[in-house]
Amino acid sequence: MSQDKIRKERTISQIVTAKTTTEGDGFIVHRPFPNYSVRDFDPFLLLDEMGPIDLSAGEAKGASDHPHRGFETVTYVIDGAFEHKDSQGNSGKLFSGDVQWMTAGSGVVHSEMPEKEFAKKGGRLHGFQLWVNLPKKDKMIQPRYQDVTSKNIPIAKSDDGKVQVKVIAGESMGKHAVIDTKTPIIYLHFTIQPNGKVIQIVPQNYNAFAYVAKGEALFGSEQKIVSKEQAVFFERDGDEISIASNKDTTSPVDVILFAGIPLNEPVKRYGPFVMNTEEELQQAITDYNSGKMGKIDF
Ligand code: FE2
């Protein structure tokens, strides 16, 4: 008797075109949420796509010293280079393919700037920042960094060679991520060649959405076309998601798939702070203003 479970494909709830806005010291991002139609997508609070843009010498901008409390920021650099510093004395550089998973927890002040040589010379910039909410019990934990270089991020390929996946969080095609997440998260970067298709298992209790970073992809049994700078949100009505390159395309498509178990807790947010109650939000502002989250002094 077969042990195989009968799987069901998820249906699409909505497709959202990212809004172009500015962040930090004035760099341009494409932001599928938050916006008026999607305030958050539990446990995710925000997704920003930086670029893709070809910057000339001296043009790169970053986000100078700013605080965070109550959630995690995940930076994935596809092209370009960043450097970060924080109020705990940490610093580091992120190059193409690297990921930084920062758990802000009780509070940190950090800067996210273009790496000096990259800023001086210019070049192609493309990356993502995802905000992952922390459960109430973890909002005030010690801040933590996981800097994972490109070579340590597992990559898998389909048998037909048409699909490649970088496993940033979770599991895909038999490979497990090296990053440890506070709640179970799936973060997968698929590159799909023409006529390629992948079916990814996403347990039914996860909220899931995907963002098309390059080209056009077909999602679900409905074969809906989702293009660059669009996000597709799924219902929790199945346990797999199919992604294919659009018909007749001649170049690869890049899709990032995100999924996480909803926290089902109240979300109170104000800029860089995300807590459960208004009082906790006020406390975060007071703590930051009184210097309790520290400062970058090196
Ligand atoms: Fe930040």
Side-chain angles (χ1 to χ4, degrees):
M1 214 170 77
S2 169
Q3 296 291 306
D4 289 348
K5 261 178 77 179
I6 297 169
R7 302 213 168 268
K8 184 178 177 293
E9 180 141 11
R10 289 177 179 232
T11 53
I12 290 167
S13 61
Q14 61 176 326
I15 296 169
V16 172
T17 300
K19 271 191 83 137
T20 301
T21 184
T22 56
E23 209 11 282
D25 304 336
F27 57 90
I28 288 168
V29 298
H30 306 293
R31 179 174 294 168
F33 72 98
N35 57 39
Y36 291 111
S37 57
V38 185
R39 290 173 61 83
D40 59 62
F41 193 61
D42 193 5
F44 304 110
L45 299 161
L46 168 146
L47 181 70
D48 275 347
E49 180 187 35
M50 301 163 272
I53 187 169
D54 291 304
L55 297 166
S56 44
E59 208 186 0
K61 292 190 177 86
S64 41
D65 310 8
H66 62 279
H68 293 293
R69 171 181 281 181
F71 63 104
E72 302 180 288
T73 66
V74 184
T75 308
Y76 173 35
V77 180
I78 294 174
D79 295 297
F82 284 89
E83 56 185 61
H84 70 90
K85 282 185 177 181
D86 77 32
S87 50
Q88 311 246 315
N90 297 303
S91 65
K93 291 180 179 179
L94 289 168
F95 296 100
S96 291
D98 296 350
V99 174
Q100 182 199 67
W101 200 291
M102 183 189 84
T103 306
S106 61
V108 72
V109 173
H110 76 162
S111 64
E112 301 159 283
M113 302 302 288
E115 191 268 336
K116 282 187 189 66
E117 273 305 295
F118 175 75
K120 203 158 78 182
K121 288 186 185 152
R124 191 161 183 80
L125 175 81
H126 192 198
F128 286 89
Q129 186 162 97
L130 176 74
W131 289 12
V132 182
N133 205 1
L134 283 169
K136 187 178 178 58
K137 67 175 178 58
D138 291 333
K139 281 194 179 289
M140 293 299 280
I141 58 175
Q142 270 290 107
R144 173 172 78 152
Y145 282 87
Q146 296 177 80
D147 277 319
V148 184
T149 55
S150 180
K151 68 176 192 318
N152 291 319
I153 296 175
I155 293 178
K157 267 204 164 147
S158 61
D159 291 341
D160 67 2
K162 287 182 179 162
V163 181
Q164 177 196 278
V165 61
K166 290 182 76 175
V167 186
I168 295 167
E171 182 188 344
S172 184
M173 295 188 209
K175 298 261 181 170
H176 292 263
V178 296
I179 290 173
D180 172 43
T181 61
K182 296 306 288 182
T183 59
I185 301 289
I186 293 170
Y187 189 149
L188 303 170
H189 178 177
F190 291 102
T191 302
I192 306 172
Q193 301 299 324
N195 301 311
K197 182 181 177 175
V198 63
I199 295 174
Q200 174 66 38
I201 293 172
V202 180
Q204 190 154 348
N205 59 331
Y206 283 57
N207 266 336
F209 76 100
Y211 186 85
V212 178
K214 188 177 161 207
E216 282 184 341
L218 297 175
F219 287 88
S221 52
E222 304 110 306
Q223 298 273 287
K224 283 254 176 76
I225 298 174
V226 182
S227 306
K228 185 165 90 72
E229 293 173 25
Q230 285 187 319
V232 50
F233 294 83
F234 296 94
E235 299 285 1
R236 282 209 307 267
D237 60 354
D239 54 7
E240 60 180 40
I241 288 171
S242 73
I243 314 168
S245 60
N246 197 7
K247 293 179 184 71
D248 305 325
T249 187
T250 52
S251 51
V253 53
D254 275 296
V255 173
I256 323 258
L257 179 67
F258 306 90
I261 298 175
L263 304 176
N264 291 313
E265 292 176 347
V267 176
K268 292 283 176 201
R269 61 200 284 175
Y270 177 74
F273 308 124
V274 183
M275 304 303 289
N276 299 112
T277 68
E278 198 60 48
E279 293 71 36
E280 290 166 351
L281 213 47
Q282 286 302 327
Q283 191 62 50
I285 296 164
T286 305
D287 287 352
Y288 171 60
N289 287 338
S290 65
K292 280 198 182 143
M293 293 184 196
K295 61 176 200 265
I296 303 170
D297 52 8
F298 64 99

